[in-house]
């Protein structure tokens, strides 16, 4: 398996996730809810890791089927791990495991939740 190519793809996906956190940050800033800084820090952390992975050299490397399978499987895991950061940074779910559960539930649209109001 070509690890550099898989990590490069993960970096590109993390950059997209970081960009998708920005509208939520703007909405949090405009509404004054106080979650804007949590989304800002989450986006910056996600972008930093994603940018460093996306900079891995992959010139002349051909993707094989197993590289694609690994990239897709790891993408779900990595997206969920970084998607849980706004919950933790905002203090809504201080337990990281609960935040990851909530994120996986949201990405897979299962409807399960650990939030109680």
């Amino acid at each position: 398996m070509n690890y550099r190519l898989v990590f490069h793809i993960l970096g590109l996906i993390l950059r997209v996730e970081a960009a998708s956190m920005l509208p939520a940050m703007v909405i949090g800033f405009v509404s004054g809810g106080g979650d804007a800084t949590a989304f800002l820090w989450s986006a910056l952390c996600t972008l930093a890791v994603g940018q460093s992975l996306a900079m891995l050299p992959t010139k002349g490397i051909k993707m094989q089927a197993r590289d694609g399978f690994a990239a897709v499987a790891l993408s779900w895991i990595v997206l969920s791990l970084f998607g849980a950061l706004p919950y933790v940074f905002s203090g809504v779910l201080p337990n990281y495991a609960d935040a990851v559960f909530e994120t996986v539930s949201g990405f897979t649209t299962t409807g399960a939740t650990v939030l109680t109001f």
Side-chain angles (χ1 to χ4, degrees):
M1 184 167 66
N2 200 335
Y3 293 106
R4 279 191 300 165
L5 182 60
V6 172
F7 288 143
H8 175 78
I9 293 169
L10 288 176
L12 296 175
I13 291 171
L14 282 176
R15 291 188 336 187
V16 171
E17 184 178 26
S20 68
M21 290 181 188
L22 296 179
M25 180 194 69
V26 171
I27 291 170
F29 179 72
V30 170
S31 69
D35 295 332
T37 55
F39 280 105
L40 174 65
W41 284 111
S42 300
L44 288 176
C45 292
T46 305
L47 182 63
V49 173
Q51 187 64 31
S52 63
L53 289 175
M55 291 175 46
L56 290 172
T58 58
K59 187 173 183 179
I61 299 174
K62 294 193 178 215
M63 181 179 241
Q64 303 295 323
R66 64 180 162 192
D67 299 331
F69 293 140
V72 169
L74 289 174
S75 293
W76 279 101
I77 296 168
V78 170
L79 281 172
S80 298
L81 294 176
F82 280 92
L85 292 178
Y87 288 115
V88 175
F89 289 159
S90 68
V92 171
L93 292 172
N95 186 354
Y96 185 70
D98 288 342
V100 171
F101 177 84
E102 194 69 34
T103 303
V104 170
S105 174
F107 283 152
T108 60
T109 64
T110 60
T113 185
V114 294
L115 293 174
T116 57
F117 294 102

